[in-house]
Amino acid sequence: MRLGVAGPVGTGKSTLIATLCRELAAELSIAVVTNDIYTDEDARLLRAAGVLPVERIHAVETGACPHTAIRDDVTPNLLAIEDMEAKFTPLDLVIVESGGDNLTATFSPALADAQIFCLDVAGGGDVARKGGPGIERADLLVVNKTDLAPHVNVDAEAMVADAQRARDGLPVLALSQRDDASVQRLADWVRTTLTGYRAGSHIARDPGPMAPHSHGDGEPHTHDDGVTHAHA
Amino acid sequence: MSGEFGALLLSDARLPIGGHAYSAGLEPGLLDGMSATDIPRYLEARLRTVGFVEAAAAVLAHRTVTRDPDGLGTVHDALLARTPSAPARQVSAMLGRGLYRLGTRLWPDHPAITALRGLGNAPQRPVAFGVVAAAMNLDAEHIARSSLYDDAQTVASAALKLAPADPVDVVGWVLAAEPTISRLVSEAVAEWTPDTLPSVTAPQIEVWSLDHKHRTRRIFVA
C-alpha cells in the first residue's frame, strides 16, 4: 500500500513518518519516498532518525513545487516507488511524504492508495475551520503536537471538533509524540487501513480539488468513485 | 495518430514525464552569477549547442528505430559520447525514464518501443524522445522542432521560478528564439549517422552542471 502524508510546513510530517516507521518496522516491510523543494532535507532527517535502513529512504526533487510532484505529474514519485519495490520486494508499505505545501495539497490516487493530512495546533486554532481539500477529504486528518496547545493559546479539543465538522464523519486523530496512546491509535489506523487495502475493501479515493458545485436539480449525488461531495 | 497531434503531445509540459524538476541548466547558471537579463541569450546558446545536438540525436534515433531497430544502441552510445558531464547524463536518463515509462505503457508492443526496452529502463532523453515519436508517427521535422521547443520552454518556465520576470515577457523570449529554432530544425533533419552526429559543445553549461550536482539548496535537479 502507498500511503501519502501531506500538510503545511512544520506540522510534523517527517516526525510522524519516523514514528510510524519506529512502530511498524518490526511487523511490516517499509520504504519511504520524500518530496522536497530543497533537495533531500526531509530524507536526511529520516535517515538520521535511524528508524529505517538508509537505502529504504529516497528523496525526489520537485522542481520548486511539491504539489506538482504529488498531484499533477507524479512520474518522478512513481519511478522512485517502482525502484524501491523492485529492490526490496515484497514491500508492505511505501510512505510518500509531500513537501510542506498548503491546505489544498492532496496526492493523486495514481500515486497514493491512502493519505494522511497533517496539521498542528501551533499553526493556529482556526486552520481546521479554513478547510481545503486536504483537510476535508484526506483519509485521516492528524491534529499534531496537541501537547503544545496550552503554550500557543489554542484549544486543541475545539480544533479537533472543527476538523470533525469540516470532514463530515471522516476520522480525525489528535496526536502528540508525548502521548503514547495517541501514537498507538495512529499505528492502528495504518494497520486497519492496510488490512482493508489488502482485502480490497479500502479503495483509493481522490480528495482532489473539485470545487463545490450545484446541478439543475440541486440534489447531492454520488460520483462513480462512491464519494458524495458537498454542493454549493 | 497523426504526427502533428503527436508533436503537440510531446511539446506539452503537462505530459507526465517529470520535466517539472528540470531547468535545462538555467538554475546552475544563475547560481553561478549569470545575470537574469542574460536569460534570453542563455536560451539561444542552449538551443545552438545542447538543444541542437539533442534534436539531431532524436531525429537519428527515430530514423534508426524505423529502419534498423538493432542500431539504436549505437545511436545511444554516440549521444553519450557527446554528453561528457555525468550529471547531465543522469538528468537526461531521468527524463528518458519518464518517456520510457510513457512509451512502454501506451505502446508496449510497438517495434520501436521494443528496441528502446533493449537499452534498459533509463535511456537518454533524446533517444527515448525519438523512439516515442516513432510510436506516435512524427516525422523528422516535427521531432526536431518539438525537441528544440521543449528545451526553450524548459528554460523559460524555470526562469519564472528563479528570477523576477513577467510571464508574458518570458513568452516573448521563446517567440524571439523561433528563427533560431527553425534554422536548427532544418539542420537537425539532415541524414546523420552515429559517427557524424553533431557534437557542438557548451563547456560552460557542462561545468555548471557539475557544480550543481553538489549544491545542497537547489530547486531544480539540474
Side-chain angles (χ1 to χ4, degrees):
Chain A
M1 181 175 83
R2 299 168 181 183
L3 173 65
V5 179
V9 175
T11 52
K13 296 181 294 296
S14 297
T15 309
L16 184 153
I17 290 169
T19 302
L20 280 176
C21 292
R22 200 175 288 119
E23 293 295 319
L24 299 171
E27 61 192 273
L28 299 175
S29 175
I30 302 176
V32 176
V33 174
T34 66
N35 284 267
D36 254 330
I37 296 177
Y38 277 129
T39 60
D40 60 349
E41 306 223 344
D42 286 338
R44 275 191 271 166
L45 187 147
L46 283 169
R47 290 183 191 120
V51 290
L52 271 188
V54 290
E55 63 272 19
R56 287 183 176 236
I57 301 165
H58 182 100
V60 167
E61 291 177 53
T62 60
C65 188
H67 202 166
T68 299
I70 64 164
R71 177 87 217 165
D72 303 326
D73 181 2
V74 298
T75 309
N77 271 279
L78 287 176
L79 293 174
I81 292 173
E82 287 165 8
D83 283 350
M84 291 286 201
E85 287 172 344
K87 211 163 155 190
F88 300 111
T89 190
L91 281 172
D92 299 301
L93 185 66
V94 181
I95 305 175
V96 185
E97 177 183 8
S98 170
D101 205 338
N102 55 50
L103 300 177
T104 69
T106 53
F107 285 82
S108 161
L111 177 60
D113 299 306
Q115 44 191 307
I116 293 174
F117 197 85
C118 186
L119 294 177
D120 73 330
V121 296
D126 60 339
V127 173
R129 260 201 311 281
K130 288 181 180 171
I135 290 177
E136 292 168 22
R137 301 197 283 270
D139 295 278
L140 176 69
L141 179 71
V142 167
V143 177
N144 202 6
K145 309 185 196 176
T146 52
D147 53 303
L148 293 183
H151 307 292
V152 292
N153 292 323
V154 167
D155 181 341
E157 283 178 27
M159 193 170 170
V160 169
D162 282 345
Q164 278 165 337
R165 268 193 294 279
R167 284 172 58 74
D168 204 21
L170 288 169
V172 180
L173 176 67
L175 180 70
S176 164
Q177 297 295 322
R178 294 186 170 80
D179 173 13
D180 192 54
S182 71
V183 170
Q184 289 312 314
R185 282 196 287 276
L186 174 67
D188 282 341
W189 181 85
V190 173
R191 289 187 187 98
T192 304
T193 306
L194 180 58
T195 303
Y197 173 76
R198 284 179 165 146
S201 57
H202 173 88
I203 311 276
R205 295 180 313 155
D206 189 356
M210 182 195 289
H213 60 277
S214 58
H215 301 276
D217 58 6
E219 292 295 319
H221 60 274
T222 304
H223 286 261
D224 290 344
D225 56 4
V227 178
T228 305
H229 61 85
H231 281 73
Chain B
M1 186 193 307
S2 82
E4 288 88 348
F5 192 75
L8 290 174
L9 273 179
L10 274 180
S11 311
D12 192 330
R14 291 165 291 191
L15 196 68
I17 57 169
H20 58 82
Y22 176 51
S23 79
L26 180 64
E27 184 181 38
L30 291 172
L31 287 177
D32 194 56
M34 185 179 92
S35 164
T37 55
D38 278 339
I39 296 176
R41 292 173 60 213
Y42 175 80
L43 191 151
E44 281 269 339
R46 249 203 85 93
L47 287 172
R48 291 162 192 250
T49 52
V50 184
F52 176 56
V53 173
E54 294 200 346
V59 169
L60 177 60
H62 172 261
R63 280 213 183 104
T64 304
V65 87
T66 310
R67 296 173 187 171
D68 169 28
D70 291 342
L72 198 61
T74 312
V75 176
H76 198 246
D77 288 345
L79 178 63
L80 286 171
R82 286 153 180 77
T83 316
S85 154
R89 290 176 177 209
Q90 282 165 10
V91 74
S92 184
M94 177 196 91
L95 297 168
R97 276 192 79 178
L99 285 160
Y100 172 84
R101 190 169 191 278
L102 184 88
T104 52
R105 288 282 296 277
L106 292 180
W107 303 281
D109 304 322
H110 194 286
I113 300 297
T114 305
L116 184 65
R117 202 173 287 125
L119 297 180
N121 76 349
Q124 296 283 294
R125 174 233 177 233
V127 172
F129 195 90
V131 170
V132 170
M136 291 201 271
N137 295 321
L138 271 70
D139 62 25
E141 204 174 304
H142 280 130
I143 292 168
R145 187 174 291 105
S146 301
S147 181
L148 288 157
Y149 173 83
D150 182 61
D151 202 70
Q153 281 289 25
T154 301
V155 172
S157 63
L160 289 172
K161 291 176 178 153
L162 297 167
D166 184 316
V168 174
D169 292 337
V170 170
V171 173
W173 302 344
V174 177
L175 275 174
E178 193 275 335
T180 301
I181 291 177
S182 289
R183 178 175 62 74
L184 293 171
V185 165
S186 61
E187 292 180 31
V189 299
E191 283 285 336
W192 306 110
T193 69
D195 288 340
T196 63
L197 187 68
S199 52
V200 198
T201 57
Q204 181 66 79
I205 292 178
E206 285 159 14
V207 170
W208 280 340
S209 75
L210 294 169
D211 292 344
H212 204 57
K213 177 74 181 163
H214 301 291
R215 284 206 173 86
T216 55
R217 300 189 67 76
R218 56 182 187 238
I219 289 177
F220 291 96
V221 67

